[in-house]
């Protein structure tokens, strides 16, 4: 097969680094487009108190261990970012990255959309580079230099989107007419804006102010802890929150509606900052559980049980309400037809093996399958994709892939309580890894000895040297 084909990769976060490393090892010519000035993705835009949610031993590259100097079980974000940079340097990835290069649009050219709809197998042949040799289909990538706003168009034969779920497209709630942020006399920011301020500016922004945080997941909790540290006071609206059997949830009215299994299945669990509930007990963090939020001049109105529209007075409101990663993915496509195709008919992005859209050729998406072991879950997808690119295996028919996507979607909805837009694989990640190993022709039993394989937990080290099998 031809080598040195041009492969474009959008994003130099953990997914983009892994994608570049593995396609480079297979002899391709990768170019990574990164809007920032260094690697790391979301790890370069986190608040000061953010730590790794996983244990360090479960969040690592399979062939690049953490340095001995890192001893924390849950390292701070600065050490995670340093680990990412070391990985990129060690494997020679930096020289393939174009920094300050923001991808503002992509378009598939050479094959009409009508032709694509008629294909029985992916790309017309089931192969990575289209139905013809050389393929007439290419991806055109519009790239803006963020320093001077100039735009260039690059052409690649295969495109890998590693644009992430947690940046760029804030999820802003809908508010009733005349009861949104516009009536509030204070300042309203999204958590993304807060995290990009940097530690010192963020601390100054909330210092001496009454801060209301709208949200319930990890970012909301971290920001609440930081505000309490800066002011000894804060307030957060928490919904469907953490482990009821371990924390004083009932006392603070925070028992979640979903079961623990459903929370794990939808990746809706998190590690609390140190002494979080101590701050709640002492009053420096006040928790309010509310079905609705509305703004007034002096703060926010909440629908708290037993009270009639109590006002939470605030000077600053931070919306820790997450991101719309599905919209971010949709809007990178220039073609309305491809925008509609990638979005699918439901709220879950329809990807085979959480990587390939059955009807969009010469393109892969990495990083849209969440897991409590996300780094090596991402790594095995990049290995699978690299093996596909060199012809190690072929994809099933389009109809078969769509059938499997539908089965996967029904599973997600059933086990996440219908609450998650994301493809979370947390409670089946070993089974999921087995499917990738089978596709690539590798053994699914990774441990030495039957009893070890049966009773010992699987982790990144079990997949070290996978492509050498």
């Amino acid at each position: 097969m031809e080598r040195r084909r041009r492969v474009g990769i959008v994003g130099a976060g953990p997914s983009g680094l892994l994608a570049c490393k593995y396609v480079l090892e297979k002899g391709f010519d990768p170019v990574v487009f990164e809007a920032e000035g260094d690697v790391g993705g979301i790890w370069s835009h986190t608040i000061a108190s953010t730590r790794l949610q996983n244990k360090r031993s479960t969040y690592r590259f399979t062939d690049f261990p953490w340095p001995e100097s890192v001893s924390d079980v849950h390292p701070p974000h600065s050490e995670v970012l340093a680990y990412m940079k070391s990985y990129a340097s060690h494997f020679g990835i930096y020289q393939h990255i174009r920094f300050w290069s923001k991808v503002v649009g992509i378009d598939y050219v050479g094959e009409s959309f009508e032709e694509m709809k008629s294909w029985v197998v992916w790309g017309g042949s089931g192969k990575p580079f289209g139905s013809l040799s050389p393929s007439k289909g290419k991806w055109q990538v519009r790239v803006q230099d963020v320093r001077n706003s100039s735009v260039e168009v690059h052409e690649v034969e295969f495109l890998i989107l590693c644009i992430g779920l947690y940046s760029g497209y804030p999820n802003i709630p809908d508010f009733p007419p005349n009861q949104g942020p516009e009536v509030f006399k204070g300042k309203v920011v999204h958590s993304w804006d807060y995290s990009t301020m940097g530690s010192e500016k963020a601390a100054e922004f909330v210092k001496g102010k009454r801060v209301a945080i709208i949200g319930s997941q990890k970012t909301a909790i971290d920001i609440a802890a930081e505000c309490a540290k800066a002011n000894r006071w804060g307030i957060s609206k928490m919904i469907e929150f953490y482990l009821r059997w371990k924390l004083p949830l009932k006392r603070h009215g925070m028992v979640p509606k979903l079961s623990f299994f459903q929370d794990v299945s939808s990746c809706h669990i998190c590690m609390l900052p140190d002494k979080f509930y101590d701050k709640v007990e002492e009053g420096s963090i006040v928790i309010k559980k509310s079905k609705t939020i509305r703004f007034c001049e002096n703060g926010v109105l909440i629908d708290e049980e037993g009270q009639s529209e109590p006002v939470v007075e605030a000077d600053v409101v931070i919306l820790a309400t997450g991101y719309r990663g599905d919209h971010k993915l949709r809007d990178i496509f220039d073609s309305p037809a491809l925008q509609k195709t990638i979005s699918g008919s439901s709220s879950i992005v329809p990807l085979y093996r959480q990587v390939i859209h059955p009807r969009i050729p010469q393109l892969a998406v990495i990083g849209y399958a969440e897991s409590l072991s996300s780094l090596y879950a991402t790594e095995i997808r990049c290995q699978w994709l690299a093996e596909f690119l060199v012809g190690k295996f072929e994809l099933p028919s389009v109809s078969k892939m769509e059938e499997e996507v539908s089965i996967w979607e029904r599973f997600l909805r059933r086990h996440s309580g219908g609450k998650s837009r994301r493809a979370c694989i947390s409670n089946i990640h070993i089974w999921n890894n087995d499917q990738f190993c089978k596709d690539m022709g590798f053994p699914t039993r990774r441990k030495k000895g039957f009893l070890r394989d049966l009773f010992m937990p699987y982790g990144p080290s079990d997949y070290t040297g996978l492509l050498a099998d």
Side-chain angles (χ1 to χ4, degrees):
M1 112 170 229
E2 295 181 34
R3 298 301 177 98
R4 306 305 296 171
R5 288 184 183 267
R6 191 71 159 165
V7 176
I9 300 169
V10 184
S15 298
L17 297 180
L18 283 161
C20 184
K21 187 248 189 186
Y22 282 105
V23 300
L24 186 61
E25 285 184 351
K26 294 297 183 181
F28 295 101
D29 181 21
V31 55
V32 183
F33 303 105
E34 169 54 50
E36 302 290 336
D38 209 337
V39 304
I42 191 63
W43 288 107
S44 62
H45 288 287
T46 59
I47 61 179
S49 62
T50 300
R51 286 180 171 269
L52 187 64
Q53 291 289 284
N54 310 62
K55 289 184 177 180
R56 185 183 74 252
S57 60
T58 66
Y59 188 90
R60 51 157 289 194
F61 300 106
T62 60
D63 55 358
F64 192 73
W66 285 84
E68 294 183 0
S69 59
V70 178
S71 58
D72 285 348
V73 175
H74 300 279
H77 74 91
S78 58
E79 291 186 343
V80 179
L81 183 57
Y83 178 54
M84 299 293 163
K85 292 180 179 180
S86 296
Y87 180 84
S89 179
H90 179 78
F91 289 105
I93 296 171
Y94 270 107
Q95 61 187 302
H96 299 278
I97 304 175
R98 295 173 62 100
F99 291 111
W100 308 115
S101 298
K102 180 181 180 180
V103 173
V104 293
I106 62 174
D107 198 22
Y108 187 69
V109 297
E111 306 266 13
S112 71
F113 188 68
E114 291 303 316
E115 285 180 282
M116 292 162 57
K117 288 197 300 183
S118 69
W119 288 337
V120 176
V121 292
W122 193 71
S125 66
K127 299 182 185 298
F129 295 101
S131 56
L132 299 175
S133 183
S135 171
K136 62 179 181 179
K138 301 285 191 302
W139 282 97
Q140 289 185 344
V141 185
R142 289 190 296 115
V143 181
Q144 181 185 64
D145 188 322
V146 299
R147 297 164 296 187
N148 58 29
S149 298
S150 63
V151 176
E152 297 179 344
V153 178
H154 297 258
E155 195 168 84
V156 298
E157 295 177 82
F158 198 96
L159 186 60
I160 307 173
L161 300 180
C162 304
I163 58 179
L165 286 164
Y166 302 115
S167 65
Y169 268 60
N171 180 37
I172 306 298
D174 293 325
F175 298 98
N178 302 316
Q179 292 182 314
E182 70 279 359
V183 303
F184 177 51
K185 290 183 177 180
K187 294 183 178 180
V188 181
V189 299
H190 191 269
S191 57
W192 174 252
D193 303 308
Y194 179 83
S195 65
T196 57
M197 290 179 185
S199 300
E200 292 184 6
K201 288 185 178 180
E204 186 64 29
F205 180 69
V206 299
K207 187 176 181 180
K209 298 182 178 71
R210 299 167 298 176
V211 183
I213 304 156
I214 300 176
S216 63
Q217 294 301 308
K218 175 61 176 170
T219 301
I221 297 165
D222 282 346
I223 293 175
E226 287 202 353
C227 291
K229 183 178 179 181
N231 299 322
R232 310 304 300 164
W233 187 88
I235 183 166
S236 182
K237 168 187 171 279
M238 305 293 181
I239 300 174
E240 298 166 359
F241 192 52
Y242 212 56
L243 306 176
R244 68 180 70 191
W245 48 266
K246 185 175 183 181
L247 302 172
L249 300 179
K250 187 174 183 179
R251 185 160 72 249
H252 296 287
M254 289 291 109
V255 176
K257 294 180 181 179
L258 295 183
S259 69
F260 173 60
F261 176 77
Q262 288 173 324
D263 274 340
V264 170
S265 297
S266 55
C267 292
H268 283 167
I269 65 173
C270 62
M271 184 185 73
L272 293 176
D274 290 342
K275 300 182 179 179
F276 178 84
Y277 268 101
D278 291 347
K279 292 182 174 66
V280 175
E281 295 286 352
E282 70 186 25
S284 57
I285 294 176
V286 180
I287 300 176
K288 299 289 185 180
K289 185 176 182 180
S290 176
K291 294 180 180 178
T292 62
I293 289 286
R294 292 168 290 162
F295 281 86
C296 61
E297 285 189 357
N298 301 321
V300 292
L301 296 167
I302 65 173
D303 180 19
E304 188 176 19
E305 187 175 347
Q307 298 189 39
S308 177
E309 297 187 350
V311 177
V312 176
E313 294 186 353
D315 304 305
V316 173
V317 176
I318 300 176
L319 302 175
T321 48
Y323 300 89
R324 292 305 306 264
D326 50 347
H327 287 193
K328 182 180 180 182
L329 179 62
R330 178 198 65 194
D331 291 349
I332 200 172
F333 290 87
D334 287 336
S335 162
L338 290 180
Q339 287 182 349
K340 184 177 180 180
T341 301
I342 193 67
S343 299
S345 58
S346 71
S347 59
I348 296 175
V349 178
L351 300 174
Y352 175 72
R353 294 284 193 261
Q354 307 89 53
V355 177
I356 296 288
H357 192 288
R359 293 194 179 273
I360 302 181
Q362 294 165 244
L363 179 132
V365 181
I366 299 290
Y368 268 66
E370 285 196 275
S371 170
L372 303 183
S373 307
S374 59
L375 193 57
Y376 85 92
T378 296
E379 184 165 2
I380 199 168
R381 282 159 178 75
C382 290
Q383 293 170 323
W384 179 87
L385 179 60
E387 293 289 283
F388 171 60
L389 291 179
V390 296
K392 183 71 176 291
F393 61 91
E394 294 187 2
L395 297 175
S397 68
V398 169
S399 61
K400 180 62 176 177
M401 288 194 287
E402 289 179 331
E403 179 185 345
E404 292 206 18
V405 168
S406 297
I407 293 172
W408 177 249
E409 182 178 328
R410 290 196 296 271
F411 170 85
L412 290 177
R413 293 192 179 281
R414 182 168 67 249
H415 292 289
S416 66
K419 298 292 183 181
S420 181
R421 297 194 309 268
R422 306 174 307 204
C424 181
I425 59 168
S426 59
N427 61 342
I428 57 165
H429 72 275
I430 296 176
W431 174 86
N432 209 241
N433 288 348
D434 287 349
Q435 308 314 302
F436 289 110
C437 287
K438 288 177 182 177
D439 288 347
M440 294 184 283
F442 300 141
T444 57
R445 295 185 180 273
R446 309 300 307 168
K447 295 184 180 293
K448 295 181 179 179
F450 174 77
L451 293 179
R452 284 179 177 271
D453 196 80
L454 191 61
F455 294 109
M456 296 294 290
Y458 267 66
S461 60
D462 294 304
Y463 297 90
T464 298
L466 179 65
L467 298 191
D469 284 3

